[in-house]
Amino acid sequence: MKKIFLSLLILFCLVTSSFAETIVIDAGHTVDKPGVISARGNPEILFNLLTAKAIGQKLANMNYDVYLAVNLPLNERVAEIKRMNPDLVISIHHDSVQEKYLSKWIYNGKEYLYSDKFSGYSIFVSKKNEKFKNSLRFATLVGENFSKKGLYPTYHHNEPIQGENREFLNKELGIYRYDDLVVLKTDIPSILIECGIIVNRSDELALRSDFIIETISDAVSKSVKTYFNNHI
């Protein structure tokens, strides 16, 4: 039987099985610090929650023990993940671009920032994680399944400018090295997915659609199944 428990800071969605692998789905940011503001004024946390919930539900239906981390300040989020010591951490975010690429436009009578220059997802792992090899293996599975679903990576995080210049670990699959993201340094196999660029006006609409949320959650859940079925 599936159960849902709500505490003050974290939503636990789990399947009660003493043999199931445990997965934390981290919905990035908080209500107070909501992340990127989209081209139409929507906070990143809204996108993160919708996608994280869809992934968590699919994995729960596959009988994994799934914990959805919601509205936790970063230090508490990391401490909670370390305390739980899950088998896998998947952090869900939505992306922006550097300030020099942003322009202004008017939507529903209000001014917002946007950039249609870049489009696509990114996946990050940290070499400072003791389980880096497993993190990269899982990131590769996610990238491969994204590609099979017709999703494509953005390369702007590799641009040699301040704030970017991230090393590619797999350019074709959009996998980057980002050593100092705190949520990736828990010594638990961990990846961070920037599902798309919400300051891109077309991407923003797609990333709110049921179709793309279903596409992303299906690709991630298939990657989880393969990862654990071939665990090293």
Side-chain angles (χ1 to χ4, degrees):
M1 175 181 291
K2 297 175 177 60
K3 299 181 181 180
I4 297 178
F5 298 88
L6 180 63
S7 73
L8 291 176
L9 291 172
I10 187 166
L11 176 68
F12 299 89
C13 306
L14 66 144
V15 178
T16 54
S17 168
S18 59
F19 301 104
E21 291 88 355
T22 301
I23 304 165
V24 169
I25 310 296
D26 167 35
H29 298 290
T30 64
V31 173
D32 292 334
K33 296 181 178 180
V36 177
I37 301 302
S38 77
R40 292 172 177 80
N42 295 304
E44 179 189 347
I45 188 174
L46 172 62
F47 296 83
N48 297 346
L49 287 169
L50 288 171
T51 305
K53 182 180 177 183
I55 294 170
Q57 188 60 63
K58 279 187 178 291
L59 292 173
N61 291 342
M62 295 164 67
N63 291 322
Y64 293 105
D65 286 347
V66 182
Y67 293 75
L68 184 62
V70 176
N71 203 36
L72 280 165
L74 186 57
N75 60 335
E76 295 180 31
R77 186 182 304 253
V78 173
E80 186 69 13
I81 289 171
K82 288 181 177 179
R83 183 192 66 78
M84 293 171 59
N85 192 31
D87 298 293
L88 188 63
V89 177
I90 306 169
S91 188
I92 300 299
H93 286 255
H94 288 74
D95 214 351
S96 186
V97 300
Q98 294 300 315
E99 184 176 356
K100 72 175 186 176
Y101 294 121
L102 294 169
S103 302
K104 296 178 181 179
W105 77 312
I106 303 298
Y107 176 73
N108 280 349
K110 293 185 179 181
E111 184 178 87
Y112 298 105
L113 297 175
Y114 80 96
S115 174
D116 296 334
K117 182 176 178 62
F118 303 104
S119 175
Y121 73 84
S122 303
I123 305 171
F124 297 94
V125 295
S126 171
K127 282 194 173 182
K128 291 185 178 180
N129 187 320
E130 289 183 2
K131 302 293 177 62
F132 165 72
K133 288 184 178 180
N134 278 340
S135 298
L136 181 58
R137 184 165 65 86
F138 179 57
T140 301
L141 290 170
V142 172
E144 289 172 346
N145 279 303
F146 277 178
S147 180
K148 290 175 184 177
K149 293 284 188 180
L151 302 177
Y152 53 86
T154 175
Y155 299 145
H156 74 283
H157 292 300
N158 181 250
E159 188 178 7
I161 61 173
Q162 185 175 358
E164 301 296 356
N165 203 29
R166 303 295 171 193
E167 176 189 350
F168 276 121
L169 296 175
N170 188 317
K171 182 177 180 179
E172 181 181 352
L173 299 179
I175 302 172
Y176 294 86
R177 174 182 176 180
Y178 198 157
D179 285 347
D180 293 320
L181 282 174
V182 178
V183 76
L184 296 181
K185 298 192 296 180
T186 57
D187 295 333
I188 299 159
S190 305
I191 72 170
L192 186 149
I193 305 172
E194 295 279 6
C195 297
I197 301 174
I198 57 174
V199 295
N200 180 304
R201 291 174 292 186
S202 296
D203 282 13
E204 176 190 9
L205 295 177
L207 290 160
R208 283 288 300 273
S209 70
D210 291 341
F211 175 76
I212 292 298
I213 292 172
E214 172 71 14
T215 298
I216 291 171
S217 59
D218 190 55
V220 172
S221 60
K222 286 181 178 178
S223 302
V224 169
K225 182 178 181 179
T226 302
Y227 174 81
F228 285 122
N229 284 349
N230 297 282
H231 193 64
I232 298 174

